[in-house]
Coordinates of all heavy atoms in Angstrom, one line a residue:
M1 N 30.9 65.5 -4.8 CA 29.9 64.5 -4.4 C 29.2 63.8 -5.6 O 29.0 64.5 -6.6 CB 28.8 65.3 -3.7 CG 29.2 65.7 -2.3 SD 27.7 66.5 -1.5 CE 28.5 67.7 -0.6
A2 N 28.9 62.6 -5.4 CA 28.1 61.9 -6.4 C 26.7 62.4 -6.1 O 26.4 62.9 -5.1 CB 28.3 60.4 -6.2
L3 N 25.9 62.1 -7.1 CA 24.5 62.3 -7.0 C 23.7 61.0 -6.6 O 24.3 60.0 -6.7 CB 23.9 62.9 -8.3 CG 23.9 64.4 -8.4 CD1 25.3 65.0 -8.4 CD2 23.2 64.9 -9.6
M4 N 22.6 61.2 -6.1 CA 21.8 60.0 -5.8 C 20.3 60.2 -6.2 O 19.8 61.3 -6.3 CB 21.8 59.7 -4.2 CG 21.3 60.9 -3.4 SD 21.4 60.6 -1.7 CE 20.0 59.6 -1.4
I5 N 19.6 59.0 -6.4 CA 18.3 59.1 -6.8 C 17.4 58.6 -5.6 O 17.7 57.7 -4.9 CB 18.0 58.2 -8.0 CG1 18.8 58.7 -9.2 CG2 16.5 58.0 -8.3 CD1 18.8 57.8 -10.4
T6 N 16.4 59.5 -5.3 CA 15.6 59.1 -4.1 C 14.3 58.3 -4.6 O 14.0 58.1 -5.7 CB 15.0 60.5 -3.5 OG1 14.0 61.0 -4.4 CG2 16.1 61.5 -3.2
D7 N 13.5 57.8 -3.6 CA 12.4 57.0 -3.8 C 11.2 57.7 -4.4 O 10.2 57.2 -4.7 CB 12.0 56.3 -2.5 CG 11.5 57.2 -1.4 OD1 11.4 58.4 -1.7 OD2 11.2 56.7 -0.3
E8 N 11.4 59.0 -4.8 CA 10.4 59.7 -5.5 C 10.5 59.5 -7.0 O 9.6 59.8 -7.8 CB 10.6 61.2 -5.4 CG 10.1 61.7 -4.0 CD 10.6 63.1 -3.7 OE1 9.9 64.1 -4.2 OE2 11.5 63.3 -3.0
C9 N 11.5 58.7 -7.4 CA 11.8 58.4 -8.8 C 10.6 57.6 -9.3 O 10.0 56.7 -8.7 CB 13.0 57.5 -8.9 SG 13.3 56.7 -10.5
I10 N 10.1 58.0 -10.6 CA 9.0 57.3 -11.2 C 9.3 56.4 -12.3 O 8.5 56.0 -13.1 CB 7.9 58.4 -11.7 CG1 8.6 59.3 -12.7 CG2 7.3 59.2 -10.5 CD1 7.7 60.2 -13.5
N11 N 10.7 56.0 -12.3 CA 11.1 55.0 -13.3 C 10.8 55.4 -14.7 O 10.4 54.6 -15.6 CB 10.5 53.6 -13.0 CG 11.2 53.0 -11.7 OD1 12.4 53.0 -11.5 ND2 10.2 52.6 -10.8
C12 N 11.0 56.7 -15.0 CA 10.6 57.1 -16.4 C 11.7 56.8 -17.4 O 11.5 56.9 -18.6 CB 10.3 58.6 -16.4 SG 11.8 59.6 -16.2
D13 N 13.0 56.5 -17.0 CA 14.0 56.1 -17.8 C 14.7 57.3 -18.7 O 15.5 57.1 -19.5 CB 13.6 55.0 -18.7 CG 14.7 54.4 -19.5 OD1 15.8 54.2 -18.9 OD2 14.6 54.0 -20.7
V14 N 14.3 58.5 -18.3 CA 14.8 59.6 -19.1 C 16.3 59.9 -18.8 O 17.0 60.2 -19.7 CB 13.9 60.9 -18.8 CG1 14.6 62.2 -19.4 CG2 12.6 60.7 -19.4
C15 N 16.7 59.8 -17.5 CA 18.0 60.1 -17.1 C 19.1 59.1 -17.6 O 20.2 59.5 -18.0 CB 18.1 60.3 -15.6 SG 17.7 58.7 -14.8
E16 N 18.7 57.8 -17.6 CA 19.7 56.8 -17.9 C 20.5 57.0 -19.2 O 21.8 57.0 -19.1 CB 19.1 55.5 -17.9 CG 19.9 54.3 -17.8 CD 20.1 53.5 -19.1 OE1 19.2 53.6 -19.9 OE2 21.2 53.1 -19.4
P17 N 19.9 57.3 -20.3 CA 20.7 57.5 -21.5 C 21.5 58.8 -21.6 O 22.4 58.9 -22.4 CB 19.7 57.5 -22.7 CG 18.4 57.7 -22.0 CD 18.5 57.2 -20.6
E18 N 21.2 59.7 -20.7 CA 21.8 61.0 -20.6 C 23.1 61.0 -19.9 O 24.0 61.9 -20.1 CB 21.0 62.1 -19.9 CG 19.6 62.3 -20.6 CD 19.8 62.9 -22.1 OE1 20.8 63.6 -22.3 OE2 19.0 62.5 -23.0
C19 N 23.5 59.9 -19.1 CA 24.6 60.0 -18.3 C 25.9 59.6 -19.2 O 25.9 58.5 -19.7 CB 24.5 58.9 -17.2 SG 26.0 58.9 -16.1
P20 N 26.8 60.4 -19.2 CA 28.0 60.2 -20.0 C 28.9 59.1 -19.4 O 29.9 58.7 -20.1 CB 28.7 61.6 -20.0 CG 28.3 62.2 -18.8 CD 26.9 61.8 -18.5
N21 N 28.7 58.8 -18.2 CA 29.6 57.8 -17.5 C 28.9 56.4 -17.3 O 29.4 55.6 -16.6 CB 30.0 58.3 -16.2 CG 30.9 59.6 -16.3 OD1 31.7 59.7 -17.2 ND2 30.7 60.5 -15.4
D22 N 27.7 56.3 -17.8 CA 26.9 55.0 -17.7 C 26.8 54.7 -16.2 O 26.9 53.6 -15.8 CB 27.5 53.9 -18.3 CG 27.6 54.0 -19.9 OD1 26.7 54.6 -20.4 OD2 28.5 53.6 -20.5
A23 N 26.5 55.7 -15.4 CA 26.5 55.5 -13.9 C 25.0 55.2 -13.4 O 24.8 54.8 -12.3 CB 27.0 56.8 -13.2
I24 N 24.1 55.4 -14.3 CA 22.6 55.2 -14.0 C 22.1 53.9 -14.5 O 22.3 53.5 -15.6 CB 21.8 56.4 -14.5 CG1 22.4 57.8 -14.0 CG2 20.3 56.2 -14.0 CD1 21.6 58.9 -14.5
S25 N 21.4 53.2 -13.6 CA 20.8 51.9 -14.1 C 19.5 51.7 -13.3 O 19.3 52.3 -12.2 CB 21.8 50.8 -13.9 OG 22.1 50.6 -12.5
A26 N 18.7 50.8 -13.8 CA 17.4 50.4 -13.2 C 17.8 49.6 -11.9 O 18.4 48.7 -12.0 CB 16.5 49.7 -14.1
G27 N 17.3 50.1 -10.8 CA 17.5 49.4 -9.6 C 16.3 48.4 -9.2 O 15.4 48.3 -10.2
E28 N 16.3 47.8 -8.1 CA 15.2 46.9 -7.8 C 13.8 47.7 -7.8 O 12.8 47.2 -8.3 CB 15.5 46.3 -6.5 CG 16.0 44.8 -6.7 CD 16.3 44.2 -5.4 OE1 15.6 44.2 -4.5 OE2 17.5 43.6 -5.4
E29 N 13.8 48.9 -7.2 CA 12.6 49.6 -7.1 C 12.5 50.8 -7.9 O 11.5 51.2 -8.4 CB 12.3 50.0 -5.6 CG 11.9 48.7 -4.8 CD 11.7 49.1 -3.3 OE1 11.1 50.1 -3.0 OE2 12.3 48.3 -2.4
Y30 N 13.7 51.5 -8.0 CA 13.7 52.7 -8.8 C 15.2 52.8 -9.3 O 16.0 52.0 -8.9 CB 13.2 53.9 -8.0 CG 13.9 54.1 -6.7 CD1 15.1 54.8 -6.4 CD2 13.2 53.5 -5.5 CE1 15.6 54.9 -5.3 CE2 13.8 53.7 -4.2 CZ 15.0 54.3 -4.1 OH 15.5 54.5 -2.9
Y31 N 15.4 53.8 -10.1 CA 16.7 53.9 -10.7 C 17.9 54.3 -9.7 O 17.5 54.9 -8.6 CB 16.7 55.0 -11.8 CG 16.2 54.4 -13.1 CD1 14.9 54.0 -13.3 CD2 17.1 54.2 -14.1 CE1 14.5 53.4 -14.5 CE2 16.7 53.6 -15.3 CZ 15.4 53.2 -15.5 OH 15.0 52.6 -16.7
V32 N 19.0 53.9 -9.9 CA 20.1 54.1 -9.0 C 21.3 54.6 -9.7 O 21.5 54.5 -10.9 CB 20.5 52.8 -8.2 CG1 19.4 52.3 -7.3 CG2 20.9 51.7 -9.2
I33 N 22.2 55.3 -8.9 CA 23.4 55.9 -9.5 C 24.5 55.2 -8.8 O 24.6 55.1 -7.5 CB 23.5 57.4 -9.2 CG1 22.5 58.1 -10.1 CG2 24.9 57.9 -9.5 CD1 22.4 59.7 -9.8
D34 N 25.5 54.7 -9.6 CA 26.7 54.1 -9.0 C 27.7 55.2 -8.7 O 28.2 55.9 -9.6 CB 27.4 53.2 -10.2 CG 28.7 52.6 -9.6 OD1 29.2 53.0 -8.5 OD2 29.2 51.7 -10.3
P35 N 27.9 55.5 -7.4 CA 28.8 56.7 -7.0 C 30.2 56.6 -7.5 O 30.9 57.6 -7.7 CB 28.8 56.7 -5.5 CG 28.2 55.3 -5.1 CD 27.5 54.8 -6.3
A36 N 30.7 55.3 -7.8 CA 32.0 55.1 -8.3 C 32.1 55.7 -9.7 O 33.2 55.9 -10.3 CB 32.4 53.7 -8.3
K37 N 31.0 55.8 -10.4 CA 31.0 56.3 -11.8 C 30.5 57.7 -12.0 O 30.6 58.3 -13.0 CB 30.2 55.3 -12.7 CG 30.8 54.0 -12.9 CD 30.0 53.2 -13.8 CE 30.5 51.8 -14.2 NZ 29.5 51.1 -15.0
C38 N 29.8 58.2 -11.0 CA 29.3 59.6 -11.1 C 30.3 60.6 -10.9 O 30.9 60.7 -9.7 CB 28.0 59.8 -10.2 SG 27.4 61.5 -10.3
T39 N 30.5 61.6 -11.8 CA 31.5 62.6 -11.6 C 30.7 64.0 -11.5 O 31.3 65.0 -11.7 CB 32.4 62.7 -12.8 OG1 31.7 63.1 -14.0 CG2 33.2 61.4 -13.0
Q40 N 29.5 64.0 -11.3 CA 28.6 65.1 -11.3 C 28.7 65.7 -12.7 O 28.5 67.0 -12.9 CB 29.0 66.1 -10.3 CG 28.4 65.9 -8.9 CD 28.7 66.9 -7.9 OE1 29.5 66.7 -7.0 NE2 28.4 68.2 -8.1
C41 N 29.0 64.9 -13.7 CA 29.3 65.3 -15.1 C 30.5 66.1 -15.3 O 30.7 66.6 -16.4 CB 28.0 66.0 -15.6 SG 26.7 64.8 -16.1
V42 N 31.3 66.3 -14.3 CA 32.6 67.1 -14.4 C 33.4 66.4 -15.5 O 33.5 65.1 -15.5 CB 33.3 67.0 -13.1 CG1 34.8 67.5 -13.3 CG2 32.7 68.0 -12.1
G43 N 34.0 67.1 -16.4 CA 34.7 66.6 -17.5 C 34.0 66.5 -18.7 O 34.5 66.5 -19.9
H44 N 32.7 66.3 -18.6 CA 31.8 66.2 -19.8 C 30.9 67.4 -20.0 O 30.8 68.0 -21.1 CB 30.8 64.9 -19.6 CG 31.5 63.6 -19.6 ND1 32.0 63.1 -20.9 CD2 31.9 62.8 -18.7 CE1 32.6 61.9 -20.6 NE2 32.6 61.7 -19.3
F45 N 30.2 67.9 -18.9 CA 29.2 68.9 -19.1 C 29.3 69.9 -17.9 O 29.9 69.6 -16.9 CB 27.8 68.4 -19.1 CG 27.5 67.4 -20.2 CD1 27.5 66.0 -20.0 CD2 27.3 67.9 -21.5 CE1 27.3 65.2 -21.1 CE2 27.1 67.1 -22.5 CZ 27.0 65.6 -22.4
E46 N 28.8 71.1 -18.1 CA 28.8 72.1 -17.1 C 27.9 71.8 -15.9 O 28.2 72.3 -14.8 CB 28.3 73.5 -17.7 CG 29.3 74.1 -18.7 CD 30.5 74.6 -18.0 OE1 30.4 75.3 -17.0 OE2 31.6 74.3 -18.5
E47 N 26.9 71.0 -16.1 CA 25.9 70.7 -15.1 C 25.5 69.3 -15.2 O 25.5 68.7 -16.3 CB 24.7 71.7 -15.1 CG 24.1 71.8 -16.4 CD 23.0 72.8 -16.5 OE1 22.3 72.9 -15.4 OE2 22.8 73.5 -17.5
P48 N 25.0 68.7 -14.1 CA 24.6 67.3 -14.1 C 23.4 67.1 -15.0 O 22.4 67.7 -14.9 CB 24.2 67.1 -12.6 CG 24.9 68.0 -11.9 CD 25.1 69.2 -12.7
Q49 N 23.7 66.3 -16.0 CA 22.7 66.1 -17.1 C 21.4 65.3 -16.6 O 20.3 65.7 -17.0 CB 23.3 65.2 -18.2 CG 24.5 66.0 -18.9 CD 24.1 67.3 -19.5 OE1 23.3 67.3 -20.5 NE2 24.6 68.4 -18.9
C50 N 21.6 64.4 -15.6 CA 20.5 63.7 -15.1 C 19.5 64.7 -14.4 O 18.3 64.6 -14.5 CB 20.9 62.6 -14.2 SG 22.0 63.1 -12.9
Q51 N 20.1 65.6 -13.6 CA 19.3 66.6 -12.9 C 18.5 67.4 -13.8 O 17.3 67.7 -13.6 CB 20.1 67.5 -12.0 CG 20.5 67.0 -10.6 CD 21.3 68.0 -9.8 OE1 22.0 68.8 -10.4 NE2 21.3 67.8 -8.5
K52 N 19.1 67.7 -14.9 CA 18.5 68.6 -15.9 C 17.2 68.0 -16.5 O 16.3 68.7 -16.8 CB 19.5 68.9 -17.0 CG 19.9 70.3 -17.2 CD 21.0 70.4 -18.2 CE 20.4 70.8 -19.6 NZ 21.5 71.1 -20.5
V53 N 17.2 66.7 -16.7 CA 16.2 66.0 -17.4 C 15.0 65.4 -16.5 O 14.0 65.1 -16.9 CB 16.6 64.9 -18.4 CG1 17.5 65.6 -19.5 CG2 17.3 63.9 -17.7
C54 N 15.4 65.2 -15.2 CA 14.5 64.5 -14.4 C 13.2 65.3 -14.2 O 13.2 66.4 -13.7 CB 15.1 64.2 -13.0 SG 14.0 63.4 -11.9
P55 N 12.0 64.7 -14.5 CA 10.8 65.5 -14.4 C 10.3 65.7 -13.0 O 9.4 66.5 -12.7 CB 9.8 64.6 -15.2 CG 10.4 63.2 -15.1 CD 11.9 63.4 -15.1
V56 N 10.8 64.9 -12.0 CA 10.3 65.0 -10.7 C 11.3 65.5 -9.7 O 11.1 65.5 -8.5 CB 9.6 63.7 -10.2 CG1 8.4 63.3 -11.0 CG2 10.7 62.5 -10.2
D57 N 12.5 65.9 -10.3 CA 13.5 66.5 -9.4 C 13.9 65.7 -8.2 O 14.0 66.1 -7.1 CB 12.9 67.8 -8.8 CG 13.7 69.0 -9.3 OD1 14.7 68.8 -10.0 OD2 13.3 70.2 -9.0
C58 N 14.3 64.4 -8.5 CA 14.5 63.5 -7.4 C 16.0 63.1 -7.5 O 16.3 61.9 -6.9 CB 13.6 62.3 -7.5 SG 13.9 61.2 -8.8
I59 N 16.9 63.9 -7.9 CA 18.3 63.6 -8.0 C 19.2 64.5 -7.2 O 19.8 65.4 -7.8 CB 18.8 63.4 -9.4 CG1 17.8 62.6 -10.3 CG2 20.1 62.6 -9.4 CD1 18.2 62.4 -11.7
P60 N 19.2 64.5 -5.8 CA 20.0 65.4 -5.1 C 21.4 65.0 -5.0 O 21.8 63.8 -5.4 CB 19.4 65.4 -3.7 CG 18.8 64.0 -3.7 CD 18.4 63.6 -5.0
L61 N 22.3 65.8 -4.4 CA 23.7 65.4 -4.1 C 23.6 64.3 -2.9 O 22.8 64.4 -2.1 CB 24.5 66.6 -3.6 CG 24.9 67.6 -4.6 CD1 25.4 68.8 -3.9 CD2 26.0 66.9 -5.5
N62 N 24.5 63.4 -3.0 CA 24.5 62.4 -2.0 C 25.4 62.9 -0.9 O 26.6 63.1 -1.0 CB 25.2 61.1 -2.6 CG 25.2 59.9 -1.6 OD1 25.2 60.2 -0.4 ND2 25.2 58.7 -2.1
P63 N 24.8 63.2 0.3 CA 25.6 63.9 1.4 C 26.6 63.0 2.0 O 27.5 63.5 2.7 CB 24.5 64.3 2.4 CG 23.4 63.3 2.1 CD 23.4 63.0 0.6
E64 N 26.5 61.7 1.7 CA 27.5 60.8 2.3 C 28.8 60.6 1.5 O 29.7 60.1 1.9 CB 26.9 59.4 2.5 CG 25.9 59.5 3.7 CD 25.2 58.2 3.8 OE1 25.6 57.2 3.3 OE2 24.1 58.3 4.6
I65 N 28.8 61.2 0.3 CA 29.9 61.0 -0.6 C 30.4 62.4 -1.0 O 29.9 63.1 -2.0 CB 29.6 60.2 -1.8 CG1 29.0 58.8 -1.4 CG2 30.8 60.0 -2.7 CD1 28.6 58.0 -2.5
V66 N 31.3 62.9 -0.2 CA 31.9 64.2 -0.4 C 33.1 64.2 -1.3 O 34.1 63.5 -0.9 CB 32.2 64.9 1.0 CG1 32.7 66.3 0.7 CG2 31.0 65.0 1.8
E67 N 33.1 64.9 -2.4 CA 34.3 64.9 -3.3 C 34.5 66.3 -3.7 O 33.5 67.1 -4.0 CB 34.0 64.0 -4.4 CG 34.0 62.5 -4.2 CD 33.4 61.7 -5.3 OE1 32.2 62.0 -5.7 OE2 34.0 60.8 -5.8
T68 N 35.8 66.7 -3.9 CA 36.1 68.0 -4.4 C 36.0 68.0 -5.9 O 35.9 67.0 -6.6 CB 37.5 68.4 -4.1 OG1 38.4 67.5 -4.7 CG2 37.7 68.4 -2.5
H69 N 36.0 69.2 -6.5 CA 36.0 69.2 -8.1 C 37.2 68.5 -8.6 O 37.1 67.8 -9.5 CB 36.0 70.7 -8.5 CG 35.8 70.9 -10.0 ND1 36.9 70.7 -10.8 CD2 34.7 71.1 -10.7 CE1 36.4 70.9 -12.1 NE2 35.1 71.1 -12.0
D70 N 38.3 68.6 -8.0 CA 39.6 68.0 -8.4 C 39.5 66.5 -8.4 O 39.8 65.7 -9.3 CB 40.8 68.4 -7.6 CG 41.3 69.8 -8.0 OD1 40.7 70.4 -9.0 OD2 42.2 70.3 -7.3
E71 N 38.8 66.0 -7.4 CA 38.6 64.5 -7.2 C 37.7 64.0 -8.2 O 37.8 62.9 -8.8 CB 38.1 64.2 -5.8 CG 39.2 64.3 -4.7 CD 38.6 64.2 -3.3 OE1 37.4 64.6 -3.0 OE2 39.4 63.9 -2.4
L72 N 36.6 64.8 -8.5 CA 35.6 64.4 -9.5 C 36.3 64.4 -10.9 O 36.1 63.5 -11.7 CB 34.4 65.4 -9.5 CG 33.5 65.3 -8.3 CD1 32.6 66.5 -8.3 CD2 32.7 64.0 -8.4
Y73 N 37.2 65.4 -11.1 CA 38.0 65.4 -12.4 C 38.9 64.3 -12.5 O 39.0 63.6 -13.6 CB 38.7 66.7 -12.5 CG 39.2 66.9 -14.0 CD1 38.3 67.3 -15.0 CD2 40.5 66.7 -14.3 CE1 38.7 67.4 -16.3 CE2 41.0 66.9 -15.6 CZ 40.1 67.2 -16.6 OH 40.5 67.4 -17.9
A74 N 39.5 63.8 -11.4 CA 40.4 62.7 -11.5 C 39.6 61.5 -11.7 O 40.0 60.5 -12.5 CB 41.2 62.6 -10.1
K75 N 38.4 61.3 -11.2 CA 37.5 60.2 -11.5 C 37.2 60.1 -13.0 O 37.2 59.1 -13.6 CB 36.3 60.3 -10.6 CG 35.5 59.0 -10.5 CD 34.1 59.2 -10.0 CE 34.1 59.6 -8.5 NZ 32.6 59.6 -8.1
Y76 N 36.9 61.3 -13.5 CA 36.6 61.5 -15.0 C 37.7 60.9 -15.8 O 37.5 60.1 -16.7 CB 36.2 62.8 -15.3 CG 36.4 63.2 -16.7 CD1 35.5 62.8 -17.7 CD2 37.5 64.0 -17.1 CE1 35.7 63.1 -19.0 CE2 37.7 64.3 -18.5 CZ 36.9 63.9 -19.4 OH 37.0 64.2 -20.7
I77 N 39.0 61.3 -15.4 CA 40.1 60.9 -16.2 C 40.2 59.3 -16.0 O 40.5 58.7 -17.1 CB 41.4 61.5 -15.6 CG1 41.4 63.1 -15.8 CG2 42.7 60.9 -16.2 CD1 41.5 63.6 -17.1
R78 N 40.1 58.8 -14.9 CA 40.2 57.3 -14.6 C 39.1 56.6 -15.5 O 39.4 55.6 -16.2 CB 39.9 57.0 -13.2 CG 41.1 57.1 -12.3 CD 40.9 56.2 -11.0 NE 39.7 56.5 -10.3 CZ 39.5 57.5 -9.4 NH1 40.5 58.3 -9.2 NH2 38.4 57.7 -8.9
L79 N 37.9 57.1 -15.4 CA 36.8 56.4 -16.2 C 37.0 56.5 -17.7 O 36.9 55.5 -18.5 CB 35.4 57.1 -15.9 CG 34.9 56.8 -14.5 CD1 33.7 57.8 -14.1 CD2 34.5 55.4 -14.3
T80 N 37.6 57.7 -18.1 CA 37.8 57.8 -19.6 C 38.9 56.9 -20.0 O 38.9 56.3 -21.1 CB 38.2 59.3 -19.9 OG1 37.2 60.1 -19.3 CG2 38.1 59.5 -21.4
A81 N 39.9 56.8 -19.2 CA 41.1 55.9 -19.5 C 40.6 54.4 -19.6 O 41.0 53.6 -20.5 CB 42.2 56.1 -18.5
A82 N 39.8 54.0 -18.6 CA 39.3 52.7 -18.6 C 38.4 52.4 -19.8 O 38.5 51.3 -20.3 CB 38.5 52.5 -17.3
K83 N 37.6 53.4 -20.2 CA 36.8 53.2 -21.4 C 37.7 53.0 -22.7 O 37.3 52.2 -23.6 CB 35.9 54.4 -21.7 CG 34.5 54.1 -21.4 CD 33.7 55.3 -21.8 CE 32.3 55.3 -21.2 NZ 31.5 56.5 -21.5
A84 N 38.8 53.7 -22.8 CA 39.7 53.7 -24.0 C 40.4 52.4 -24.1 O 40.8 52.0 -25.2 CB 40.6 54.8 -23.9
T85 N 40.5 51.6 -23.0 CA 41.2 50.3 -23.2 C 40.4 49.2 -23.5 O 39.2 49.2 -23.4 CB 42.0 49.9 -21.8 OG1 41.0 49.9 -20.8 CG2 43.0 51.0 -21.5
Ligands
SF4_1 S1 25.6 63.8 -12.6 FE1 26.2 63.2 -14.6 S2 27.7 61.5 -14.2 FE2 26.5 61.7 -12.3 S3 24.8 60.3 -12.6 FE3 24.1 62.3 -13.4 S4 24.4 62.2 -15.6 FE4 25.7 60.6 -14.6
SF4_2 S1 14.7 61.0 -14.7 FE1 14.2 61.0 -12.5 S2 12.2 59.9 -12.4 FE2 13.1 59.4 -14.3 S3 14.1 57.5 -14.0 FE3 15.7 59.2 -13.7 S4 15.6 59.7 -11.5 FE4 13.8 58.5 -12.0

């Protein structure tokens, strides 16, 4: 599953630079995660880095985007290959 940011976000900007996949950006009202780029940090870290740093705990799993660990890893490989070109 990708992660998502809820409207409890206080726009503190702490999570954005921590994402290894550049999946986080400032949205219209609060920060947003691009599910196509979020691997739950699989391939990079043991745990989601954004969740670790968020001071208000507003980054839950997105229940609408169900992905297995293997799918997340495949996404990581795709994203890394795209970056290398
Ligand atoms: S879980 Fe990892 S890849 Fe997904 S948005 Fe957070 S920091 Fe980025
Ligand atoms: S760390 Fe949490 S509160 Fe801060 S911008 Fe990211 S989601 Fe919002």
Side-chain angles (χ1 to χ4, degrees):
M1 283 183 219
L3 269 63
M4 59 184 277
I5 294 174
T6 72
D7 61 6
E8 286 166 78
C9 171
I10 56 170
N11 292 309
C12 73
D13 191 37
V14 169
C15 57
E16 194 257 328
E18 298 299 323
C19 179
N21 296 320
D22 296 328
I24 305 175
S25 59
E28 262 176 45
E29 290 176 44
Y30 49 89
Y31 275 69
V32 292
I33 291 176
D34 179 351
K37 289 185 178 172
C38 176
T39 63
Q40 277 182 245
C41 284
V42 166
H44 291 283
F45 299 101
E46 290 291 311
E47 53 185 322
Q49 299 299 292
C50 54
Q51 273 184 338
K52 244 175 95 176
V53 297
C54 179
V56 294
D57 243 354
C58 68
I59 316 182
L61 285 168
N62 186 336
E64 287 174 17
I65 303 176
V66 181
E67 292 164 302
T68 64
H69 186 278
D70 284 354
E71 286 169 337
L72 290 167
Y73 191 75
K75 196 195 292 186
Y76 157 74
I77 297 288
R78 274 201 310 278
L79 289 168
T80 313
K83 247 188 199 176
T85 54

